[in-house]
Structure formats: C-alpha cells, structure tokens
C-alpha cells in the first residue's frame, strides 16, 4: 500500500537508471521554490521520441505534438511549429517543414534528426539574442534562461547518464552564462555590468557542443531506441558502457506518483481490529504490491508497482503516461513499452479498475478473462510488466493481501443491497426504476445484471454496446459486469473510461437502449447510483499527526516486520526482495517529511536497513539478526517523531 | 533620485473582464507581477487572482507581468500599477526610492520568516564554512535576500569574508544561477561545491538528489516576501484589497493562494519587520543612507 507521495525506487539494479524527468511533488510550497515547468518545445520533442519508440508508432500523436494549439499559459494558441520559427534565423533551415516531411513520410530517423536539430538551433537562437541584448541585462537574462529551459531536453537525465563529465562541465558553462550577463539590479541598486568576454567564451562552448552533437544528421540506420543523446555517444567517442541505452525515462507530462486526494484504504483485518504485523502473508503481500522489483524493465527502474496504478486498493486517477494513456487514470498494459513480447499491437488503453471488494468480483479483467485471481496476477507480473516468474510465496502473499481489500462502507445500503430509509427520496424513486424491466434491455432490469443482493454484479460478461467489435456481428466486445458499490468515486466509467459522470451513464443507457426515461427519471436513477455508490469517508484525511510521511513510515515499518519470520527461516530470496524494496523507498520517502528535521533520522534508519541487507547478502545470519534488533531499537526510538 | 531609461518592458498585459456590477467609470486596481522563475508561468495565475479580486472588490482589476523588479517598481512609481508582490530586499529598495508601503507578509510553514542556507554535497567532505575557502559557490540572484544577501552574510558573521571584501578573495568562483532551482541543482549535480539559497530550495530536488545534499550553515531569520502598494493609493481601496487578500487564509479560499505564488497564507506586518533587511542592504551598499522612507 504505497502512498501517493511515494517515489520511484532508484535503480539499484544492474546499472539501470531511474526516471529523471518527473520532478517529485513539492506539495504546494511557496514561490520561494516554484518548480520549473517544461518549456513546450522540449516537452513536445521528448514526447515525440517516446512515441516513435512505440510499435505501432502513433504518428497522429507525433503530428499533433507539433501542430496542435498549446494550452500552456503564455503559449496559449500557438503551436510548437510556431515556437520553432525563431530557430530558422540561425542557419536558414525551415525546421517545421523538415519535421512535417518526416512525419508525412513516416520516417523516424528523419524525424529524429530534424527535431533534434530544431531544438538545438532554438537554444542557439536564444543565446544569440542574449548576446545581442547584453546591454539590457533583464532581457539577456530571460533569453539565457529560455535557452537553458530548452537545452534541458538534452541535459537531464540523458547527458547526465551518457557522459557525466561532459554533463558537469556543461552545467558549469551554463552557470558561466547566467553569471556573466550582469544584473539589472533594482532601480540601479546592485546593478552589475555584463562580462562580455566571459559570456562569449561560455556561449561559444555551448554552441559548439550543440553543433557537433545535436545538429548532425544521424538517420535511423541501426538505431534502436531513439533518445536525445549526443552524437559523440552514438559514434563511441564518449564511452559509457551502454548505460545510456538502458535509461528508463518517462516523457514530460507523465504523472505516475502524485495523487491528491489520496483514496482511503480499507483492509478487512484492520476493520476487525487485527494488526498487520501479526499477518505475515498479508504484510509480505502488501510489500510486494508496493515493489517495482517484481517487474521487468522499464517498469522496475521507473519505480512502477501495483500500487502505482491501484493506489490504496483503489485507482490512481491521475496516472498518465503520454502515448500509453488516452486519459488520466488509464493505461494500455499490453503495448510495446512495458513488454515488447506481450505487445498486442492494439492501441487500447483501459480505465484502471478499483480493486476494492476484489474477493467478491471474479472473474478478473475488464472482459472477465481470468477466473482465478492468482492467474490474473501472475499474468500481470510476467507478461504485462515483463517480470521474472514469481515465487509461490510472492504470488500467494500478493493474493492474500488483495483478498483483504474491502469496499468503503456506504451510508445508504442494507446488507441485501436495498436502500435504507436514510437514502434521499429521489434515490428511492430511482431504486424502483433500477429494478424495473425495460423492453429496450430485452425485458431485463438494470438489477438483472447489477444484482443488488449480490454486490451489484452477476459475475457474467455482457455486450451492452459499450465496446468496439472487430467486425459487424463479431462477438468480441463483452465486458464483465462491474459493481456499483463506491461507484460515485470511480469515475470515469466503462472499460475505456468513456463516460465522465453517473448521469452520463444513465443517459447513455437511455439513449442506446431506448429506455424512454423522462428527465425526472434520469435524475432519479442518477440519484440512486450516487446513493449506492456513496462512501462515508472516501479519502485519507491528513493532519498534524497523520502526515503523508507518517503513513509511509507506518507501512514501511510494517513491511520490515516480516523479517521476524524471514530471518529465522533464513529465507534470503524473500528477505532481499523486501529489503531492496523498502531501503530505497525509505530514503526517497524522506523527502515527503513534513518536519524536515527528521530527515537525518530517516537516513539513519535507512542505513540500518542497508546493514541488514549486507549481512543477509553475505549469508551472515547471526549478524543479520543482530542488525535487525538494532534497526528495531532505532525504529522504536525515532518512530513516534517521524511525521 | 536616479532616473533610468524606461525599463518598463511589459511582457504581457491581461485584463480581466470587468464585472457588470462595477461602476463603469471605476478606475481599475492594477497588479504588477514579477516573474519568479519564468514569465509564462504566472500569466495563467494572473487571470484567476484578478477574477477573485474583482468579485470581492466590485472593481475592475487588471494584472501585468513585468520583466523584472525594476519594471514593477517603476510601475508603482508612475501609478501604472497599484500593488505588487516581491521579496524583502526589492521591497526595502522600493520603500526607500519611491515610498512603497508594505501591505501584508506571506506565511510559509506557519511562519512569516525563513532562513537562507549553505548547501553542500554530503560526499564532498565539506563540514564547515571555512572548508569552502577556494571553492565554488552558486547563489540564485544578486538582488535576492535569501538567494544571495543573507547566505552571503553568513560568511561575514563567521568572520570568513568581511562585508566589504571581494567575494573572489574567499571563493574560487561565484555564480549567479538565475534561480533557486538552478542553484540547488548545481550543487546536487556536482557543478559547484556549495549553494547559498533559501532553506526551502531543497524541496526542488528530486528525492534521490535530496539524499545527496545537506546544509552546513544557516542565516539569521529573513522576513518573508511581501505584498506592497504604491505610495498614495487610496486608503479605502488599500483596506479593501487587504481584506480581500486576508480572506485567502480562510479554508474556502485557500485554493486561490496558488495563483499568487502559493504562500500558505498572509499576515499583517509593518515596515519595522523589514528593518534588518534594510540594515543589511545598507551594509552592502545597496541603499543610500541619506534617504528616508
């Protein structure tokens, strides 16, 4: 049960590097520290390369990155092609035309060359304008900062991974640039003149680097994955052990970690007053649910775990990866990106389903294709996310944990699924409609499929007309009847999230199945769905005690309690999986601490955890046991103060 | 008073649609916003806050995004703007030069004060300020209290670099990175040995970067950023504006704070609270001593 504030685990693994492009949430802090948003040009460029690495390549998405009007404040209504126009002045190249041609010809090598050169020359054009404006420091400053924001497309994390020395050298060169433009001061106070020579020196260095590395034609020959790496890496002039080729980076606009508000997690054993630490399988499964390490690449390096999508047993409604998601909260889990072997070649993102009440909702999958939860979960791990075959313990523990997911109590439902007397009047009129057979539904009622006394499901698949059959008359758009419990909080609706509100669903049925509802009936049926779908306390409520970090600490320390079982059993495989998941998470979660003075304590605990890991890796079980005791006393000492 | 060439280079001007209720001839209240990191980011925000203020004040409200502090202060001087938002240092300069008045102070993490810090990489072996002799440092911007003046003054306080000494007599290289994020990342990424910036700057680091950075010294308390008004703004208007801004502290309105640089709220303040900034500005030759408010 990872919280929204959790962040990707660093690639401790096999030299793989972490996604660098998504800055962590800084949670509403001050202009003192506003995060730099992406400039639209590097953002469009990086997304286009990301798309060009998918199969089949979504060319329409690439085209619209460049020619759709932008919505970003300050650029609204413009297109990326228009923003590239100033770059033409640099060398007379019509970048828009070159990129358009590459897209029209579906030539990914040409797209790579043309767009990389365009970005580089846009940086160049801003630096040239800064040079021309050195006697107006405020103008020069904004030009240099603009250049730097666009240069970011190449720098971090690509150049950083491919050529750390060059990256640092250029980082200092940019500091030379920002420092040599002088300062306008305020009303003349504190004004400093530009240092022209220093500026010229630094600027020519950056420009030469761009010219030699990003303004050269490289074509598609032999190149697998397209990445904004310097040509010097391609041709081997910079040695990097192929590290850069294995970088896992999500494009700008991705959001896999932030979620606000955070869904409330309701676990059955907790509701019954048991402590997770007494339930080994559940606690271990909880950890596995949070572990990117059960997956293959790139999910593992990106820190993607079950909880990334099914956050707190519910859904990460903000989850979005350009090219894989068609809207927030959706993802295509059988495409090229996560496991090329499992690529079904169809661009078919699905709305991520909630897992609440999972033990009652078999069969599994939007189309109900798996009867067994264990089979479904194995398929997720091995096929969807390319992980190694999980051990029986990993699978069983995960299933044990999933089976604890409860729905949130509804204020209006009786055990048999009827509304109680506290339900609003309109909802109770809607209840009658819900149970009324309609000719348009073939004489069935809504309740025939969403059986109120059976958790609003019938455990069947139906074609209600929400799908997209492969051919007229083809019988391949059946979907599993979803429950309506807590449905008020699971928008958008249907397998593809195509309907935004419950009213939309009612209107859709009315329209598609000719129910001939009056406007009043539409209102009533909607009110009924809202009442059935209500939850008393849908979201985690944070306060001074229950902070996001306190929550993260509670779960990480629960995971670690499984060492009570694993160390005596000398189970190195599972102890290491646990420690490799928790150790990095602990360090990363530290940045979410409300009280920043506790951060060093968290690092100290993380060091203690790392020490246990080292002992187990070395096969020294007595030392592992002793160090585990040491960790426990630290946890006891610091735990209560960790907020 | 030195008059400069018109630096009032407005990047963009946005007018919120006047409220039908507003008297048609009412002079609009004009807000000048100084871009903190990049000019585009604020523009969306300007609309939202103007719309709120229009409905609260029953007046047309306009917002400008200016090129820099000087432009905003010039606008206050000329009456082209009534209100602006800025750090303590630009404020004391504006107070001295053009009699700008402080309206409210921003609150962060429960306090209208914060500190500057000297950040280093954990693995650098640098433990004390003295270890930074002959090393490189990045500040955010020379006209910034937390991004330069206060962190710089720590070295004077510790007797390492007198206030009137050349920075180069202590550091090998001094950079102005252009913003907090650039400065703190310069340390995290190993471009420089240290950064002197706001205590909050490390929030801008990715978690894995944060784990690599620590701080070794802290400045005196810095009074927070302020909302300022031009000299001579109609007191009634000013009072109404202040009430509307203080209302943003209430739960129902808090979400609007993100449109004014995202403080946690506002508190009343006085010029007196900025006396330490004034003193420091004077000590570093940024203020002429012969001028009163």
């Amino acid at each position: 049960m990872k919280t929204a504030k959790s962040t990707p685990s660093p690639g401790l693994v096999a030299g793989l590097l972490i996604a660098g492009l998504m800055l962590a949430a800084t949670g509403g802090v001050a202009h003192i520290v506003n995060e730099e948003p992406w400039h639209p040009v590097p953002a469009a460029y990086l997304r286009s390369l990301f798309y060009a690495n998918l199969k089949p390549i979504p060319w329409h998405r690439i085209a619209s990155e460049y020619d759709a009007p932008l919505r970003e404040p300050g650029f609204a209504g413009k297109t990326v092609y228009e923003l590239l126009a100033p770059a033409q002045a640099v060398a007379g190249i019509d970048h828009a035309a070159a990129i358009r041609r590459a897209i029209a010809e579906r030539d990914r090598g040409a797209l790579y060359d043309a767009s990389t050169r365009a970005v580089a020359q846009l940086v160049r054009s801003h630096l040239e304008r800064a040079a021309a404006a050195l006697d107006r420091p405020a103008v020069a400053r904004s030009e240099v900062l603009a250049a730097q924001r666009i240069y970011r497309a190449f720098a971090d994390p690509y150049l950083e991974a491919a050529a750390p020395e060059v990256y640092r050298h250029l980082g200092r060169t940019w500091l030379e640039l920002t420092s040599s433009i002088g300062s306008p001061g305020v009303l003349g106070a504190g004004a400093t003149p530009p240092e022209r020579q220093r500026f010229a020196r630094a600027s020519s260095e950056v420009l030469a680097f761009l010219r030699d590395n990003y303004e050269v034609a490289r074509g598609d020959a032999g190149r697998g994955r397209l990445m904004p790496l310097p040509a010097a890496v391609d041709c081997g002039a910079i040695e990097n052990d192929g590290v850069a080729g294995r970088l896992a980076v999500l494009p700008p606009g991705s959001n896999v970690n932030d979620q606000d508000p955070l869904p409330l997690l309701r676990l059955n054993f907790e509701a019954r007053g048991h402590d997770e630490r007494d339930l080994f399988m559940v606690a271990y499964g909880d950890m596995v649910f949070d572990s990117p390490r059960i997956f293959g690449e790139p999910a593992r390096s990106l820190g993607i775990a079950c909880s990334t999508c099914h956050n707190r047993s519910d859904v990460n409604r903000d989850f979005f990866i350009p090219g894989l998601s068609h809207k927030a909260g959706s993802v295509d889990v059988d495409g090229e990106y996560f496991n090329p072997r499992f690529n079904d070649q169809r661009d078919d993102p699905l709305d991520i389903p909630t897992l609440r009440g999972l033990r009652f909702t078999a069969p599994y999958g939007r189309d109900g294709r798996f009867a067994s939860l264990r089979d479904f979960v194995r398929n997720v791990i091995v096929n969807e996310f390319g992980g190694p075959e999980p051990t029986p313990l990993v699978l069983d523990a995960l299933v044990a944990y999933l089976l604890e997911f409860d729905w949130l109590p509804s204020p209006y439902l009786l055990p048999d699924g009827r509304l109680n007397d506290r339900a609003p009047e309109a909802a109770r009129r809607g209840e009658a409609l819900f149970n009324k057979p309609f000719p348009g539904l073939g004489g069935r009622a809504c309740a025939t499929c969403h059986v109120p006394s059976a958790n609003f499901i019938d455990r069947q698949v139906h074609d209600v007309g929400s799908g997209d059959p492969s051919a007229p008359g083809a019988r391949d758009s059946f979907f599993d009847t979803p429950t309506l419990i807590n449905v008020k909080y699971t928008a958008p609706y249907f397998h593809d999230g195509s309907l935004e509100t419950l009213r939309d669903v009612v209107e859709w049925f009315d329209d598609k199945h000719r129910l001939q509802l009056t406007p009043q009936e539409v209102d009533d049926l909607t009110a009924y769905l809202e009442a059935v779908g209500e939850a008393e306390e849908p979201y985690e409520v944070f306060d001074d005690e229950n902070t996001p970090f306190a929550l993260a600490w509670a779960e990480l320390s629960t995971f670690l309690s499984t060492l009570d079982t694993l160390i005596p059993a000398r189970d190195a495989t599972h102890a290491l999986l646990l420690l490799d998941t928790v150790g990095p998470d602990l360090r990363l979660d530290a940045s979410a601490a409300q009280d920043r003075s506790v951060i060093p304590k968290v690092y100290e605990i993380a060091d203690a955890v790392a020490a246990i890991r080292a002992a187990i890796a070395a096969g020294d079980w007595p030392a592992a046991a002793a160090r585990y005791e040491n960790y426990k006393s630290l946890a006891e000492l610091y735990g209560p103060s960790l907020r | 008073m030195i008059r400069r060439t018109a630096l009032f280079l407005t990047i963009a001007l946005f007018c919120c649609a006047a409220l039908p209720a507003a008297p048609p001839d009412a002079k609009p209240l004009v807000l000048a916003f100084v871009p903190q990191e990049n000019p585009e980011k604020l523009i969306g925000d300007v609309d939202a806050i103007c719309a709120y203020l229009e409905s609260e004040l029953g007046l047309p409200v306009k917002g400008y995004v200016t090129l820099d502090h000087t432009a905003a202060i010039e606008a206050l001087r000329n009456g082209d703007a009534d209100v602006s938002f800025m750090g303590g240092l630009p404020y004391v300069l504006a107070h001295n030069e053009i009699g700008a008045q402080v309206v409210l102070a921003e609150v962060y993490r429960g306090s209208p004060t914060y500190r500057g810090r000297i950040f280093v990489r954990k693995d650098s072996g640098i433990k004390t300020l003295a270890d930074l002799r002959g090393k490189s440092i990045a500040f955010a911007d020379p006209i910034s209290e937390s991004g330069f003046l206060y962190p710089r003054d720590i070295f004077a306080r510790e007797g390492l670099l007198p206030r009137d000494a050349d920075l180069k007599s202590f550091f090998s290289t001094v950079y102005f990175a252009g913003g907090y994020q650039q400065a703190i990342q310069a340390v995290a990424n190993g471009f420089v040995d240290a950064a002197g910036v706001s205590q909050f700057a490390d929030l801008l680091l990715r978690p894995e970067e944060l784990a690599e950075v620590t701080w070794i010294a802290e400045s005196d308390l810095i009074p927070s950023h302020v909302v300022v008004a031009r000299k001579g703004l109609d007191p009634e208007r000013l009072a109404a504006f202040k009430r509307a801004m203080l209302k943003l502290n209430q739960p129902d309105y808090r979400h609007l704070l993100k449109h004014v640089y995202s403080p946690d709220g506002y508190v009343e303040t006085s010029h007196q609270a900025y006396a330490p900034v004034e003193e420091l500005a004077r000590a570093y030759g940024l203020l002429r001593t012969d001028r009163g408010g």
Side-chain angles (χ1 to χ4, degrees):
Chain A
M1 50 171 189
K2 191 169 208 146
T3 68
K5 300 290 169 213
S6 308
T7 34
S9 310
L12 282 184
V13 222
L16 270 147
L17 295 152
I18 191 173
L21 290 189
M22 297 163 305
L23 288 166
T26 52
V29 189
H31 59 130
I32 317 196
V33 290
N34 277 344
E35 222 173 75
E36 294 264 356
W38 275 95
H39 186 287
V41 169
Y45 165 70
L46 292 172
R47 279 195 292 268
S48 302
L49 294 191
F50 185 81
Y51 301 150
N53 289 326
L54 300 176
K55 277 185 207 150
I57 298 177
W59 285 100
H60 62 286
R61 289 192 203 253
I62 297 178
S64 77
E65 285 292 340
Y66 286 96
D67 64 17
L70 295 164
R71 271 175 303 193
E72 281 93 330
F75 299 104
K78 300 212 175 96
T79 66
V80 170
Y81 282 138
E82 284 164 31
L83 298 183
L84 285 171
Q88 186 163 356
V90 169
I93 298 170
D94 183 345
H95 297 289
I99 296 171
R100 275 208 180 89
R101 199 174 324 114
I103 294 174
E105 289 169 5
R106 316 217 143 185
D107 181 339
R108 76 197 269 281
L111 172 74
Y112 179 74
D113 287 345
S115 58
T116 307
R117 182 181 59 193
V119 173
Q121 296 198 349
L122 189 61
V123 175
R124 180 183 289 270
S125 76
H126 281 287
L127 286 181
E128 285 177 358
R129 283 199 273 181
L134 277 183
D135 48 358
R136 285 176 297 155
V139 178
R141 179 175 189 270
S142 77
E143 291 292 345
V144 170
L145 292 181
Q148 198 175 15
R149 287 177 70 204
I150 299 161
Y151 168 81
R152 185 178 170 195
F154 306 131
D156 180 19
Y158 297 100
L159 185 59
E160 186 179 11
E165 280 308 317
V166 180
Y167 167 71
R168 274 195 290 278
H169 178 75
L170 278 148
R172 278 188 285 268
T173 310
W174 280 98
L175 288 172
E176 288 287 322
L177 283 170
T178 53
S179 307
S180 58
I181 44 186
S183 166
V186 170
L187 301 171
T192 47
E195 297 171 57
R196 288 170 193 280
Q197 280 189 349
R198 190 179 175 198
F199 182 88
R201 220 172 24 241
S203 167
S204 64
E205 200 170 320
V206 170
L207 294 180
F209 176 73
L210 291 175
R211 187 194 56 225
D212 297 344
N213 286 290
Y214 304 96
E215 297 178 25
V216 286
R218 283 182 269 181
D220 196 20
R223 188 176 314 115
R225 211 143 59 93
L226 298 183
M227 283 200 292
L229 290 172
V233 168
D234 274 7
C235 68
I238 295 178
E239 190 47 60
N240 69 48
D241 297 337
V243 159
R246 284 175 280 139
L247 260 177
V249 185
L250 292 178
S254 301
N255 183 1
V256 299
N257 285 305
D258 298 351
Q259 190 179 7
D260 186 30
L262 190 63
L264 188 75
L265 173 68
R266 191 177 159 97
L267 295 165
N268 190 265
F269 66 84
E270 250 170 26
R272 293 182 182 280
H274 298 289
D275 185 345
E276 187 167 348
R277 289 161 202 252
D278 299 331
L279 302 163
F280 170 75
M281 288 296 267
V282 173
Y284 197 79
D286 189 350
M287 183 282 295
V288 173
F289 194 72
D290 232 12
S291 178
R293 307 185 55 92
I294 57 169
F295 291 155
E297 296 300 346
R300 182 191 283 220
S301 287
L302 291 170
I304 290 178
C306 309
S307 57
T308 308
C309 294
H310 303 288
N311 201 5
R312 314 281 292 161
S313 80
D314 192 43
V315 183
N316 178 354
R317 268 168 236 303
D318 301 327
F319 181 97
F320 190 83
I321 299 179
L324 311 188
S325 307
H326 67 307
K327 60 196 323 191
S330 76
V331 62
D332 184 354
V333 283
D334 43 20
E336 178 73 8
Y337 188 64
F338 287 118
N339 185 5
R341 288 194 193 186
F342 197 62
N343 183 355
D344 71 351
Q345 300 289 333
R346 276 153 279 182
D347 182 9
D348 52 357
L350 291 172
D351 184 47
I352 303 168
T354 173
L355 303 185
R356 285 180 176 140
L358 197 63
R359 66 189 175 287
F360 301 113
T361 62
Y364 300 104
R366 286 288 186 181
D367 52 6
R369 64 196 177 283
F370 281 93
S372 144
L373 184 55
R374 200 172 187 278
D375 288 351
F376 188 96
V377 169
R378 181 191 166 276
N379 186 58
V380 170
I381 297 173
V382 177
N383 294 317
E384 292 180 356
F385 295 98
E389 193 63 48
T391 65
L393 174 63
V394 163
L395 264 188
D396 290 338
L398 194 47
V399 169
Y401 177 61
L402 296 173
L403 294 178
E404 296 287 346
F405 292 164
D406 270 352
W407 281 296
L408 304 172
S410 154
Y412 303 128
L413 280 185
L414 295 167
D416 64 3
R418 282 179 303 131
L419 293 183
N420 62 25
D421 344 318
R422 280 187 294 146
E425 205 46 51
R428 299 177 61 185
R429 288 194 301 271
E431 184 171 28
L433 286 167
F434 192 80
N435 286 286
K436 178 181 138 180
F438 286 98
L441 289 173
R444 284 173 300 192
C446 309
T448 315
C449 300
H450 303 281
V451 183
S453 62
N455 290 320
F456 296 86
I457 55 177
D458 61 355
R459 296 185 182 246
Q460 309 254 331
V461 294
H462 302 278
D463 185 349
V464 291
S466 61
D468 177 18
S470 56
R475 302 187 56 79
D476 61 355
S477 46
F478 286 71
F479 295 99
D480 183 24
T481 307
T483 181
L484 303 179
I485 301 174
N486 297 158
V487 77
K488 193 172 160 187
Y489 299 94
T490 62
Y493 302 104
F494 282 13
H495 66 287
D496 54 359
S498 54
L499 298 174
E500 294 301 329
T501 66
L502 290 170
R503 176 175 300 274
D504 291 345
V505 177
V506 171
E507 285 172 350
W508 182 90
F509 272 105
D510 186 23
D511 191 45
K512 183 97 183 174
H513 295 279
R514 295 175 311 280
L515 306 184
Q516 295 175 318
L517 300 176
T518 65
Q520 169 79 55
E521 287 173 325
V522 170
D523 288 350
D524 291 349
L525 199 49
T526 305
Y528 172 72
L529 293 176
E530 282 171 357
V532 170
E534 188 53 275
E536 256 146 21
E537 206 188 302
Y539 302 113
E540 187 80 38
V541 181
F542 289 113
D543 54 30
D544 289 347
E545 286 296 300
N546 186 29
T547 62
F549 183 70
L551 191 65
W553 165 245
E555 57 191 32
L556 292 175
S557 57
T558 300
F559 300 166
L560 285 168
S561 74
T562 58
L563 287 174
D564 283 333
T565 304
L566 296 171
I567 290 180
R570 304 205 161 183
D571 181 345
T573 308
H574 296 104
L576 290 176
L577 174 61
L578 161 74
L579 292 164
D580 287 341
T581 300
V582 171
D585 260 11
L586 195 54
R587 243 175 248 281
L588 294 179
D589 283 346
S591 62
Q594 193 92 351
D595 172 359
R596 300 181 70 75
S597 68
V598 307
I599 293 179
K601 295 182 188 170
V602 180
Y603 291 149
E604 200 180 328
I605 296 177
D607 289 342
V609 172
I612 308 173
R613 192 204 178 277
I616 294 177
D620 185 347
W621 290 100
R627 291 174 187 183
Y628 179 46
E629 289 309 316
N630 173 46
Y631 150 78
K632 281 202 284 194
S633 45
L634 269 185
E636 204 168 310
L637 186 66
Y638 293 153
S641 69
L642 301 182
R643 299 264 166 275
Chain B
M1 178 183 302
I2 327 149
R3 282 220 72 101
R4 256 157 305 281
T5 44
L7 241 180
F8 193 8
L9 257 165
T10 306
I11 292 168
L13 165 61
F14 288 81
C15 295
C16 312
L19 214 70
D25 56 344
K27 242 187 94 201
L29 181 79
V30 183
L31 278 53
F33 289 87
V34 182
Q36 291 294 321
E37 61 281 77
N38 66 80
E40 301 83 21
K41 188 167 174 208
L42 271 174
I43 292 171
D45 303 346
V46 171
D47 286 340
I49 200 68
C50 289
Y52 163 74
L53 288 171
E54 285 199 340
S55 69
E56 281 298 305
L57 304 176
L59 283 175
V61 177
K62 285 182 176 185
Y64 291 84
V65 177
T66 65
L67 187 60
D68 64 1
H69 283 117
T70 299
I73 296 168
E74 290 286 356
L76 293 175
R77 185 212 309 263
N78 304 338
D80 289 335
D82 300 308
V83 172
S84 188
F85 304 79
M86 57 189 68
L89 178 59
Y91 159 67
V92 299
L93 299 178
H95 177 80
N96 265 259
E97 288 287 333
I98 66 158
Q101 28 177 345
V102 63
V103 185
L104 293 168
E106 297 177 351
V107 176
Y108 299 100
R109 303 262 158 135
S111 167
T113 57
Y114 64 115
R115 292 177 196 270
R117 282 181 181 164
I118 306 297
F119 291 93
V120 297
R121 275 185 67 92
K122 277 195 187 138
D123 60 10
S124 64
I126 296 166
K127 297 277 179 251
T128 67
L129 291 175
D131 296 341
L132 284 173
R133 186 180 297 279
K135 297 268 179 356
S136 57
I137 189 164
F139 296 104
D141 186 285
I143 301 296
S144 165
E145 60 285 6
S146 65
F148 177 53
L149 208 50
Y150 274 75
R152 190 268 169 243
D153 201 50
I154 304 175
F155 293 89
R157 195 183 68 194
E158 300 294 317
L160 293 165
L161 182 64
R163 285 178 170 177
D164 55 3
D166 184 354
L167 294 168
K168 290 270 189 57
S169 66
F170 183 78
F171 299 109
S172 63
T173 324
V174 175
Y175 294 114
F176 290 102
Y180 299 108
Q181 182 161 343
Q182 289 92 335
I184 189 86
Q185 280 180 341
V187 178
N189 296 331
F191 304 165
V192 290
D193 298 307
V197 281
S198 156
Q199 70 175 92
F200 297 120
D202 65 357
L203 291 167
L204 290 170
L205 294 174
R206 295 195 295 266
E208 69 275 15
E209 288 174 334
L210 178 69
E212 316 214 305
V213 167
T214 185
W215 53 278
I216 55 170
E218 199 168 51
S219 77
D220 296 337
L221 285 174
I222 311 173
S224 194
H225 290 220
V226 283
V227 184
V228 300
R230 70 177 164 84
K231 185 175 174 178
L233 178 62
D234 170 36
E236 255 175 59
R237 233 175 217 220
L238 181 59
F241 169 75
K242 194 164 162 178
R243 269 196 307 279
M245 292 304 284
L246 282 171
K247 205 164 167 183
L248 298 178
N249 292 336
Q250 296 173 14
D252 288 352
Y253 297 90
R254 295 196 69 88
H255 64 279
L256 288 165
L257 287 168
K258 67 174 180 292
H259 301 303
V260 271
Y261 307 94
S262 336
D264 299 335
Y266 291 102
V267 284
E268 307 244 8
T269 185
S270 68
H271 181 68
Q272 196 45 39
Y274 291 80
V277 185
E278 201 163 356
E279 196 191 304
L280 210 53
R282 199 163 273 131
Y284 283 93
L286 295 173
L287 267 184
R288 280 166 301 153
T289 38
D290 58 347
R291 192 175 294 274

